[in-house]
């Protein structure tokens, strides 16, 4: 009976991963536990700022929702401060927290941080798909959240 339950769980998990990567590949998520209205307004003013899917982790786990399942099962257990920026690839999620010096970064910095993640591979964690699960690998030290602005100087 336990073997049958594990087989069912793996099949369900595989389907949820398929649905998640099909829907969110090439997109970004911001997983958080509440953002201030001012911060959200500033984010939405920016070009492309409304394109980040914002996942409020205070909402309970919804097993029918692949993004809720991913956030609660794989992202929230990571030893990272929230909020985190997640860049979704074909079978990988790269993650970087948005805290700097104990404060939330400015929404305008997200573009620079995302560029730093994509071009310099500077991430705090990576979730890689392995069949029916995601395997976590930690990257940068939590205290390292510097990013290149390409402004020179």
């Amino acid at each position: 009976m336990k073997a049958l339950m594990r087989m069912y769980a793996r099949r369900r998990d595989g389907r949820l991963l398929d649905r998640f990567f099909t829907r969110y590949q090439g997109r970004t998520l911001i997983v958080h536990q509440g953002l201030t209205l001012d911060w959200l307004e500033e984010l939405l003013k920016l070009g492309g700022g409304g394109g980040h899917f914002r996942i409020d982790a205070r909402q309970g786990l919804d097993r029918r929702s692949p993004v809720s399942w991913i956030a609660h099962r794989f992202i929230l257990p990571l030893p990272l401060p929230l909020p985190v920026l997640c860049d979704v690839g074909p079978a990988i999620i790269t993650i970087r927290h948005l805290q700097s010096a104990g404060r939330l970064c400015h929404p305008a910095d997200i573009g620079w941080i995302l560029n730093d993640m994509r071009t310099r591979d500077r991430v705090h964690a990576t979730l890689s798909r392995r069949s029916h699960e995601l395997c976590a690998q930690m990257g940068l030290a939590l205290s390292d959240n510097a990013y290149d602005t390409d402004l020179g100087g």
Side-chain angles (χ1 to χ4, degrees):
M1 183 67 156
K2 286 184 180 183
L4 184 61
M5 297 285 283
R6 278 194 301 272
M7 183 181 75
Y8 172 75
R10 285 184 178 153
R11 192 175 310 153
R12 180 201 63 220
D13 292 355
R15 284 194 306 266
L16 284 167
L17 285 171
D18 290 342
R19 288 176 51 207
F20 173 81
F21 282 107
T22 298
R23 173 72 173 96
Y24 292 98
Q25 178 182 342
R27 301 176 186 269
T28 55
L29 312 171
I30 297 174
V31 179
H32 63 89
Q33 288 181 318
L35 297 168
T36 67
L37 187 55
D38 291 341
W39 196 90
L40 283 171
E41 286 175 351
E42 198 64 34
L43 176 68
L44 295 175
K45 286 180 193 174
L46 301 169
H52 305 292
F53 288 88
R54 293 167 308 281
I55 311 304
D56 190 341
R58 296 175 300 180
Q59 303 298 319
L61 169 63
D62 179 356
R63 291 191 183 276
R64 295 167 304 188
S65 165
V67 72
S68 172
W69 179 74
I70 292 282
H72 284 86
R73 177 145 181 219
F74 297 103
I75 297 171
L76 292 176
L78 295 171
L80 297 172
L82 294 180
V84 293
L85 179 65
C86 304
D87 189 23
V88 182
I92 194 168
I93 304 168
T94 55
I95 303 169
R96 180 113 167 228
H97 73 73
L98 297 177
Q99 297 283 331
S100 182
R103 298 177 54 199
L104 180 58
C105 76
H106 190 276
D109 296 336
I110 290 177
W112 298 115
I113 293 168
L114 188 57
N115 185 59
D116 208 43
M117 291 169 68
R118 290 176 174 169
T119 62
R120 296 179 44 202
D121 199 30
R122 290 182 40 81
V123 299
H124 290 112
T126 301
L127 295 173
S128 302
R129 184 166 185 180
R130 303 274 191 272
S131 182
H132 60 278
E133 63 184 5
L134 291 175
C135 299
Q137 181 176 358
M138 298 308 290
L140 296 172
L142 291 181
S143 60
D144 184 356
N145 213 18
Y147 50 89
D148 186 5
T149 61
D150 287 333
L151 294 177

